[in-house]
Amino acid sequence: LLCEIDSEELIEASPGVVLQKIKDAVLQNFGIIGLSKISTSISLKYLNPKLGIFIVRVSREHHAILHNALTFV
């Protein structure tokens, strides 16, 4: 998924921080089961702080969980 960052806090963050914020949003909205479903396949492939975009990769069967959680990051 290609996403745009609309938060000053995340624009200046490292890839690890962005990935952790996504995992926290999944945990908060889908619980430990949702987090365990995506944790084996989630990865941050690209982060460009100047443009404010990033690409997150997750398995096809769990993309809906990631897509829904990204609205709460």
Side-chain angles (χ1 to χ4, degrees):
L1 294 171
L2 175 65
C3 306
E4 181 180 2
I5 300 172
D6 194 27
S7 170
E8 292 296 325
E9 174 186 335
L10 288 178
I11 286 177
E12 299 173 358
S14 67
V17 172
V18 173
L19 194 57
Q20 188 59 46
K21 291 280 189 180
I22 294 170
K23 288 181 179 181
D24 290 344
V26 170
L27 181 63
Q28 183 179 9
N29 293 296
F30 296 98
I32 193 74
I33 294 176
L35 182 61
S36 64
K37 285 181 180 180
I38 69 157
S39 66
T40 58
S41 64
I42 191 170
S43 62
L44 188 66
K45 291 294 182 184
Y46 179 75
L47 173 65
N48 188 331
K50 291 186 179 183
L51 294 177
I53 60 172
F54 62 95
I55 297 175
V56 181
R57 184 172 183 186
V58 72
S59 67
R60 200 177 290 236
E61 55 195 24
H62 303 303
H63 79 279
I65 293 173
L66 177 66
H67 188 265
N68 291 327
L70 282 173
T71 60
F72 298 105
V73 172

